[in-house]
Amino acid sequence: MFLLWAIAQERLSVPFKSIDGSGSDKFKSPLFMGTCQSALSALSAFLYIFLRRRSGASLYESLGLEPPPTPSATNGSATTNGHATTNGHAKHGHPHKPSTRFSKRALLVRYLQCSVFITSAAPFGFAALSYISYPAMVLGKSCKLVPVMIMNVLLYRRRFALHKYVVVAMVTTGITIFMYLGDPKAAAKHAAKQGTTQNTSQYASVIGITYLLINLLLDGATNSTQDEIFSRHRVTGQQMMFWINVFCTLITSVLAVLPLPYIPVIHPGAPGQTELGGALAFIRSHPDIIVPLAQFAFTGALGQLFIFETLQHFGSLTLVTITLTRKLFTMLLSVVIYGHQLTSGQWLGAAVVFAGISVEAWVKRKDVHAKRVIQEKEKAKIKSL
């Protein structure tokens, strides 16, 4: 799904011919694109939750606004209204004390925080495609571990294993090689395709990388906040997907109907014109955009569902492997379909980046195997008792 999503995203970044054939124009409504995708994503997550909900579960519980019921007894122990019993002996604590691991207000605030980060990040990622090629964008997105680590350290004071810093160094080195060993003629061709001038193309890489870095930092803040949600609240991936996309839809819808002034990246359209009005006018005069826009929203929504489904049933290791393979094929597919030309130095940089990501996947596989061995030993001890 995300391969088709990537093709649609790159297509939306280049000019579209007008219906009268008088010229070509670029689509300058990133908030409208975000609204289309987030609305479909929220709807698909809601349908998934509704169809897979537990029998007898209320709507609030299904959407993660109420904590799921805990088992009344496990191996002779029970926890009820603040009283815990173990092997028939009661441990008296504070009766009727609510769980501090669930707060509806705190959870919704975290969801809203993620939505603000996502809404802010998406326009920068879309704007970066006007200055750098899509393969460079994919490769840059591969180093998301860097801002995720930075934001986790800054926001939540977390620490990481040594190998993660090695991976960050490899990915950063590969990105640097890729960006600085590119063909200037190919960069000029990309600038001409995007409708920019030759003088502008001289600074295109700097502008594009700057936008991409901002996008990655905001993505890092999103991912670290999602980690915080999973560590503090008992929610599923689909519940998180639903609420984040609901808030994203509300935020972008409000911004889309406001007559905003010209704001670079966020509102690059005409000053005083609403984003919704500009987007609908563009669609009427450039109907060729309808198919890639629908493809972008539909595949993005289904792709998110597959990500959370894979994470829930197969674990993070399988998801990392799939993500690595997807990014590799996304870059190759972009080269084939849109005719990007990469130098041997850029292929070397890409190889270094994917090697770094492979190290991360290998370490995770090793850790998962070690945990399984420990679990099997514990099960064997329990059976022998």
Side-chain angles (χ1 to χ4, degrees), residues 133 135-136 139 174-182 331 342 345-346 349-350:
S133 65
L139 217 55
I175 291 292
T176 304
I177 293 173
F178 186 92
M179 298 307 299
Y180 282 94
L181 294 184
M331 191 176 72
L342 302 183
Q346 287 182 306

Side-chain angles (χ1 to χ4, degrees), residues 200-234:
T200 304
S201 66
Q202 296 176 2
Y203 307 98
S205 295
V206 176
I207 298 174
I209 292 174
T210 301
Y211 285 162
L212 182 57
L213 287 176
I214 295 173
N215 174 267
L216 288 175
L217 285 174
L218 292 169
D219 277 351
T222 302
N223 294 139
S224 59
T225 304
Q226 288 173 330
D227 291 340
E228 185 74 3
I229 292 174
F230 279 125
S231 66
R232 292 185 177 274
H233 303 277
R234 297 174 60 186

